[in-house]
Amino acid sequence: QVQLVESGGGLVQTGGSLRLSCAVIGSIESINVMAWYRQYPGKQRELVASIYDDRNTNYADDLEGRFTISRDKSKNMTFLQMNSLRPEDTALYYCNAYLKAVSTWYRDYWGQGTQVTVSS
């Protein structure tokens, strides 16, 4: 069984920073891409950033420069450093991994979500 465990969300003031972490736990053969999504109430999840390796990252428009995604392949972890946070960054943030678990084929896995709240 594979689980994605997120941590690092919380309440922060405008202009502050948070660092989200996500650990992939379980019987894994290979992780392809890891990503962070966010979801506003009543809206669909939207991509924040994705990473294959340090040279292959992708960001949603206007987030690059404030947000930085990174990955530790040796620990099956990904991180999202969020700086200069704004109230509009308030959302539920989800970790995603496209991976191959033992005895299965590649598919998407999701974390349970971690709340980020930015006060004005």
Side-chain angles (χ1 to χ4, degrees):
Q1 184 178 1
V2 175
Q3 286 184 300
L4 274 60
V5 180
E6 299 137 335
S7 61
L11 174 65
V12 65
Q13 290 185 334
T14 296
S17 298
L18 285 174
R19 186 177 190 240
L20 305 183
S21 300
C22 172
V24 182
I25 299 170
S27 300
I28 304 155
E29 289 190 5
S30 177
I31 301 174
N32 192 323
V33 175
M34 300 189 77
W36 290 94
Y37 286 73
R38 65 187 180 185
Q39 187 171 23
Y40 299 107
K43 303 290 187 181
Q44 290 187 334
R45 290 181 195 180
E46 58 184 42
L47 178 68
V48 173
S50 64
I51 182 168
Y52 177 74
D53 56 33
D54 288 343
R55 292 177 296 177
N56 292 280
T57 59
N58 180 52
Y59 293 88
D61 291 343
D62 77 23
L63 291 182
E64 189 168 15
R66 293 195 300 124
F67 290 12
T68 303
I69 191 170
S70 60
R71 180 175 173 179
D72 186 336
K73 288 190 174 184
S74 67
K75 296 180 180 178
N76 293 333
M77 294 188 72
T78 185
F79 308 93
L80 184 68
Q81 178 66 43
M82 304 185 293
N83 298 328
S84 302
L85 283 163
R86 305 167 181 170
E88 55 264 38
D89 295 318
T90 296
L92 192 57
Y93 285 71
Y94 291 92
C95 178
N96 167 270
Y98 186 67
L99 64 86
K100 184 182 185 306
V102 172
S103 301
T104 68
W105 193 237
Y106 281 96
R107 72 170 182 89
D108 280 309
Y109 290 81
W110 294 90
Q112 78 284 358
T114 185
Q115 179 67 37
V116 170
T117 302
V118 184
S119 64
S120 57

